[in-house]
Amino acid sequence: MRSRGFGSFAAGALVAGAVLWSFATTDVELSRLLSAGPRIADFLGRMVPPDPTVMNEIVKGSAETLRIAILGSLGAVLLSVPLGILASETMVSPALYRPVRTLLAFIRAIPLILVAMLMVGAVGLGPLPGIIAVAFHATGMLAKFYAEAIDGVSRAPIAALESAGAGSLAQLRYAIWPQMAPVVARDTIFRFELNLRESLILGIVGAGGIGFYIQTYVRSFQYDKAASVTLAVIAMVIAIEAINVALRRRFA
Amino acid sequence: MSAAAQIGDLSFVHQGAGLPALDHVSLLVPAGESTALLGPSGAGKTTLLAVLDGRLRGWRGRVSVLGAPLHPDQAPPRGSRPDVGFVFQEFALVERATVLRNVLNGRLGRMSPLRAALGSPLPYDLEVARAALADCGIADLAERRVDSLSGGQRQRVAIARCLAQEPRLILADEPVSNLDPARAAEILTLLTGVARARGATVLFSSHQPDLARRFADRIVGMRDGRIAFDVAVGDLSDVAITDLYRETTALQVIGLRAVT
Ligand SMILES: Nc1ncnc2c1ncn2[C@@H]1O[C@H](COP(=O)(O)OP(=O)(O)O)[C@@H](O)[C@H]1O
Ligand SMILES: [Mg+2]
């Protein structure tokens, strides 16, 4: 009883302390906080009406984002096939799959935008660092999914084909792959959708794509143009979502 | 009387298990008949059938199937595998594939390895598969996906796949324990019927004495990895069955069954 009362008191004090500390250490003064509302309203006001003359930039930027997502996803698939096998409990020994799984968890823990910044530093501005960053970042998830697809294969139909005298290639073709293929296809499409969504903002750190224009227009106070690009990004996210829903139904 | 399978002094211990699953088993499975392996759960029925199907390594003893000796440490030659068909308790079908595709999988061992791995079935393979479907009463389900079928229909597909192998010995491991009683009787009628029509031997396991009595010519009682009795169905006494299913004593549970 007493210890529980003390526990909730301590938790309350901790939360209160954390909030006070946050106010004290950033420059969030009451006056700035109160003036933020009108300033955001003014900013939004300057975004309307969106400037439609940036259509060319939107098309160019979206095409580049799409290319980054496609090539980044391709790279991730190529990396994830061997790493997925090495991370599978049913294909390799624990001495191998445990460190590989740890490595994949480590890769997943690094945010894409951080990888992209590092790659811009390494190979320079443009879509190339974006492609490398997407391939690296997506592999952390995709290789794990592939390993799970391998481990999810039921042994029983394989034993049945072995019993019927089918060789290992025929077992792969008719018992293993039919079980894996829908899972692999679904996971790859899911990851491609994430890649496309996440690479929309890569341009902000100079790693190519439509995000570059948002950054450029905001920095040069052309908020109406930034608004057009932002609307285009929102439209694309909705379109990706719609396509994804349709594809998911197909693979159910 | 010729033998479809002959087992002499067969023993097997599963990896990590303390007690043997098969403990000096000797048995003769007569050709052209239907034999039931009857016994409580854990008796060793699945293990014995897997040895006969050539899927277990590391057993000791002498086993020969359809006249050819099995090797304890090597898979049987590929060419001999289709001669022995297997019907699994859990059907073991590729759920997302069609019924016809699953039945054609039974032909893979009869094709050349190259055709099985990379090619497509020959007209003859299709003909055998369609005949197997018709024999099992599911010709109209050929294009359906297995995951849309009921348990009874699934087991018919599994039997059709087994028949597509053109087997001379059919092993069936608890083929009806996942089905309701009406469906169970239907499936065993089908299995023993098609086997008789094709002159194939059947060895099926069951934990239900009534089904064994109704569908087998011979009944082999198994318990604790040993053969308890091996009799023609007319000679099976109720006492033998009661003894086969007697309560496991506390001593046996803790692994001291040799004391009894
Ligand atoms: N893969 C396995 N690993 C360890 N022990 C097993 C395994 N399979 C079966 N056994 C054991 O072997 C014995 C016989 O099992 P099984 O052949 O499945 O009997 P039944 O089919 O008659 O129920 C049981 O004691 C069971 O626990
Ligand atoms: Mg069993």
Side-chain angles (χ1 to χ4, degrees), chain B residues 12-22 39-49 89 173-174 205 222 225 257:
Chain B
F12 182 79
V13 186
H14 282 282
Q15 212 154 41
L19 294 171
L22 298 174
S41 171
K45 306 183 293 294
T46 298
T47 307
L48 180 61
L49 291 170
Q89 179 173 16
D173 188 17
E174 304 256 10
S205 70
M222 264 191 101
R257 75 180 179 214

Coordinates of all heavy atoms in Angstrom, one line a residue, chain B residues 12-22 39-49 89 173-174 205 222 225 257, ligand 1:
Chain B
F12 N 13.8 -47.2 -32.3 CA 14.1 -45.8 -32.7 C 13.8 -44.9 -31.4 O 12.8 -45.0 -30.8 CB 13.2 -45.3 -33.8 CG 13.5 -43.9 -34.2 CD1 14.6 -43.6 -35.1 CD2 12.7 -42.8 -33.8 CE1 14.8 -42.3 -35.4 CE2 13.0 -41.5 -34.2 CZ 14.0 -41.3 -35.0
V13 N 14.8 -44.0 -31.2 CA 14.6 -43.0 -30.1 C 14.7 -41.6 -30.8 O 15.6 -41.3 -31.5 CB 15.8 -43.1 -29.1 CG1 15.5 -42.1 -27.9 CG2 15.9 -44.5 -28.6
H14 N 13.6 -40.8 -30.6 CA 13.6 -39.4 -31.2 C 14.7 -38.6 -30.5 O 15.0 -38.8 -29.3 CB 12.3 -38.7 -30.9 CG 11.2 -39.2 -31.9 ND1 11.2 -38.7 -33.2 CD2 10.2 -40.1 -31.7 CE1 10.1 -39.3 -33.8 NE2 9.5 -40.1 -32.9
Q15 N 15.3 -37.7 -31.3 CA 16.3 -36.8 -30.7 C 15.8 -36.1 -29.5 O 14.7 -35.5 -29.6 CB 16.7 -35.8 -31.8 CG 18.2 -35.4 -31.7 CD 18.8 -35.0 -33.0 OE1 18.1 -34.3 -33.8 NE2 20.0 -35.4 -33.4
G16 N 16.5 -36.2 -28.4 CA 16.1 -35.4 -27.2 C 15.1 -36.2 -26.4 O 14.7 -35.8 -25.3
A17 N 14.6 -37.3 -26.9 CA 13.6 -38.1 -26.1 C 14.3 -39.1 -25.2 O 15.4 -39.7 -25.6 CB 12.6 -38.8 -27.0
G18 N 13.8 -39.4 -24.1 CA 14.4 -40.4 -23.2 C 14.1 -41.8 -23.6 O 15.0 -42.6 -23.8
L19 N 12.8 -42.1 -23.7 CA 12.3 -43.4 -24.0 C 12.2 -43.7 -25.5 O 12.0 -42.7 -26.2 CB 10.9 -43.6 -23.4 CG 10.9 -43.6 -21.8 CD1 9.4 -43.6 -21.4 CD2 11.6 -44.8 -21.3
P20 N 12.5 -44.9 -25.9 CA 12.4 -45.2 -27.3 C 10.9 -45.1 -27.8 O 10.0 -45.5 -27.1 CB 12.9 -46.6 -27.5 CG 12.8 -47.2 -26.1 CD 12.9 -46.1 -25.1
A21 N 10.7 -44.5 -29.0 CA 9.4 -44.4 -29.6 C 9.0 -45.8 -30.2 O 7.8 -46.1 -30.3 CB 9.3 -43.3 -30.7
L22 N 10.0 -46.5 -30.6 CA 9.9 -47.9 -31.1 C 10.8 -48.7 -30.4 O 12.0 -48.4 -30.3 CB 10.1 -48.0 -32.6 CG 9.2 -47.1 -33.5 CD1 9.6 -47.2 -35.0 CD2 7.7 -47.6 -33.4
G39 N -3.8 -47.9 -31.3 CA -3.1 -47.7 -30.1 C -3.3 -46.3 -29.6 O -3.7 -45.4 -30.4
P40 N -3.1 -46.1 -28.3 CA -3.3 -44.7 -27.7 C -2.3 -43.8 -28.2 O -1.3 -44.2 -28.8 CB -3.1 -45.0 -26.2 CG -2.3 -46.2 -26.1 CD -2.7 -47.1 -27.3
S41 N -2.5 -42.5 -27.9 CA -1.6 -41.5 -28.4 C -0.2 -41.7 -27.7 O -0.1 -42.1 -26.5 CB -2.2 -40.1 -27.9 OG -1.2 -39.1 -28.1
G42 N 0.8 -41.6 -28.5 CA 2.2 -41.8 -28.0 C 2.6 -43.2 -28.1 O 3.8 -43.6 -27.7
A43 N 1.8 -44.1 -28.7 CA 2.2 -45.5 -28.8 C 3.4 -45.7 -29.8 O 4.1 -46.7 -29.7 CB 1.0 -46.3 -29.3
G44 N 3.5 -44.8 -30.7 CA 4.6 -45.0 -31.7 C 4.1 -45.2 -33.1 O 4.9 -45.5 -34.0
K45 N 2.8 -45.0 -33.4 CA 2.2 -45.3 -34.7 C 2.8 -44.3 -35.8 O 3.2 -44.8 -36.8 CB 0.7 -45.0 -34.6 CG 0.0 -45.8 -33.5 CD -1.5 -45.7 -33.5 CE -2.0 -44.3 -33.1 NZ -1.7 -43.9 -31.7
T46 N 2.8 -43.0 -35.5 CA 3.4 -42.1 -36.4 C 4.8 -42.4 -36.8 O 5.3 -42.3 -37.9 CB 3.2 -40.6 -35.9 OG1 1.9 -40.4 -35.7 CG2 3.8 -39.6 -36.8
T47 N 5.6 -42.7 -35.7 CA 7.0 -43.0 -35.9 C 7.2 -44.2 -36.8 O 8.0 -44.2 -37.7 CB 7.7 -43.2 -34.5 OG1 7.4 -42.1 -33.7 CG2 9.2 -43.4 -34.7
L48 N 6.4 -45.3 -36.5 CA 6.6 -46.5 -37.3 C 6.2 -46.2 -38.8 O 6.9 -46.7 -39.7 CB 5.6 -47.6 -36.7 CG 5.6 -48.9 -37.5 CD1 7.0 -49.5 -37.4 CD2 4.6 -49.9 -36.9
L49 N 5.2 -45.5 -39.0 CA 4.8 -45.2 -40.4 C 5.8 -44.3 -41.1 O 6.1 -44.5 -42.3 CB 3.4 -44.5 -40.4 CG 2.2 -45.4 -40.0 CD1 0.9 -44.6 -39.8 CD2 2.0 -46.5 -41.1
Q89 N -2.3 -37.0 -41.3 CA -3.3 -36.6 -40.4 C -3.8 -35.2 -40.7 O -5.0 -34.9 -40.7 CB -2.8 -36.8 -39.0 CG -3.7 -36.4 -37.9 CD -3.2 -36.7 -36.5 OE1 -2.0 -36.9 -36.4 NE2 -4.0 -36.7 -35.5
D173 N -1.6 -42.0 -41.8 CA -1.4 -41.7 -40.3 C -2.6 -41.0 -39.8 O -2.8 -39.8 -40.1 CB -0.1 -40.9 -40.1 CG 0.2 -40.8 -38.7 OD1 -0.3 -41.6 -37.9 OD2 1.0 -39.9 -38.3
E174 N -3.4 -41.7 -39.0 CA -4.7 -41.1 -38.4 C -5.4 -40.3 -39.4 O -5.7 -39.1 -39.2 CB -4.3 -40.2 -37.2 CG -3.5 -40.9 -36.1 CD -4.3 -41.3 -34.9 OE1 -5.5 -41.1 -35.0 OE2 -3.7 -41.7 -33.9
S205 N -3.2 -45.9 -39.4 CA -3.2 -45.9 -37.9 C -4.5 -45.2 -37.4 O -5.1 -44.4 -38.1 CB -2.0 -45.2 -37.4 OG -2.1 -43.8 -37.7
M222 N -0.7 -51.4 -30.7 CA 0.6 -50.8 -30.3 C 0.5 -50.0 -29.0 O -0.5 -49.4 -28.8 CB 1.1 -49.9 -31.4 CG 2.1 -50.5 -32.3 SD 2.9 -49.2 -33.3 CE 4.4 -49.1 -32.5
G225 N 5.6 -48.1 -27.8 CA 6.6 -48.5 -28.7 C 6.7 -50.0 -29.0 O 7.7 -50.4 -29.6
R257 N 8.5 -47.4 -16.7 CA 7.5 -48.4 -17.1 C 8.1 -49.8 -17.1 O 7.3 -50.8 -17.0 CB 6.9 -48.1 -18.4 CG 7.8 -48.3 -19.6 CD 7.1 -48.0 -20.8 NE 8.1 -48.2 -21.9 CZ 8.2 -47.5 -23.0 NH1 7.5 -46.5 -23.2 NH2 9.1 -47.9 -23.9
Ligands
LIG1 N1 9.8 -35.2 -32.9 C1 9.8 -35.9 -31.7 N2 10.8 -35.6 -30.7 C2 10.7 -36.2 -29.6 N3 9.9 -37.2 -29.2 C3 8.9 -37.5 -30.1 C4 8.9 -36.9 -31.4 N4 7.8 -37.4 -32.1 C5 7.3 -38.3 -31.2 N5 7.9 -38.4 -30.1 C6 7.7 -39.3 -29.0 O1 7.7 -40.6 -29.4 C7 6.7 -41.4 -28.9 C8 5.8 -42.0 -30.0 O2 5.2 -40.9 -30.7 P1 4.3 -41.1 -32.0 O3 5.0 -42.0 -32.9 O4 3.9 -39.8 -32.5 O5 3.0 -41.9 -31.4 P2 1.5 -42.0 -31.9 O6 1.5 -41.6 -33.4 O7 1.1 -43.4 -31.6 O8 0.7 -41.0 -31.1 C9 5.9 -40.5 -28.0 O9 6.4 -40.7 -26.6 C10 6.3 -39.1 -28.4 O10 6.2 -38.2 -27.3

